[in-house]
Amino acid sequence: MEIWINPACSKCRSAISLLDAEGADYTVRRYLEDVPSEDEIRDVLARLGLEPWDITRTQEAAAKDLALKDWPRDDASRQRWIKALAEHPKLIQRPIITADDGTALVARTEEAVQDALSRNKS
């Protein structure tokens, strides 16, 4: 499994601590440095079963600069949102865990991390 993190984020550090405590096998992706492409964002959204606006941090400065709150949330605008996430990765909600079973989840709670761990047990 892979976890997208920002090391400055307390929720990310908590998720990593929990994964380590469980002895999980995972790869860390510091997504602010190793920025996901638009295709990778589309793939993660499909795995999450979410839309790009569902994983957008609308309180970030970049979101306010782009006036994201005013953007339509519809199929016609979906690509515009994905492009914004790729160009401004700080807007991506974190941490995101991609599980070995093909799913993904936003792991902001201990329960979500446990859910990701359960998806990776064979």
Side-chain angles (χ1 to χ4, degrees):
M1 85 178 115
E2 181 176 78
I3 182 170
W4 292 9
I5 69 157
N6 172 352
C9 167
S10 63
K11 300 265 187 209
C12 293
R13 292 192 306 271
S14 294
I16 294 286
S17 294
L18 191 52
L19 292 174
D20 288 344
E22 294 289 331
D25 182 23
Y26 64 93
T27 303
V28 169
R29 179 172 186 169
R30 293 179 178 217
Y31 71 91
L32 297 179
E33 299 161 17
D34 182 6
V35 179
S37 68
E38 291 180 27
D39 284 342
E40 288 174 306
I41 292 169
R42 273 191 285 277
D43 177 61
V44 162
L45 287 167
R47 293 172 76 171
L48 287 166
L50 297 173
E51 294 297 336
W53 45 86
D54 296 328
I55 65 162
T56 300
R57 299 172 56 86
T58 57
Q59 298 305 311
E60 292 289 334
K64 292 176 181 173
D65 291 345
L66 294 167
L68 286 181
K69 286 191 174 188
D70 298 330
W71 288 17
R73 296 177 180 211
D74 56 25
D75 282 345
S77 303
R78 191 171 196 270
Q79 179 52 38
R80 182 180 182 197
W81 283 85
I82 291 169
K83 184 173 174 18
L85 292 173
E87 290 177 357
H88 306 277
K90 207 169 198 179
L91 295 175
I92 300 171
Q93 189 58 267
R94 61 192 183 242
I96 292 176
I97 297 177
T98 56
D100 293 344
D101 70 355
T103 63
L105 49 94
V106 178
R108 294 189 57 77
T109 65
E110 183 174 328
E111 293 79 14
V113 176
Q114 291 292 352
D115 186 9
L117 286 164
S118 72
R119 296 176 189 203
N120 282 285
K121 292 182 179 161
S122 28

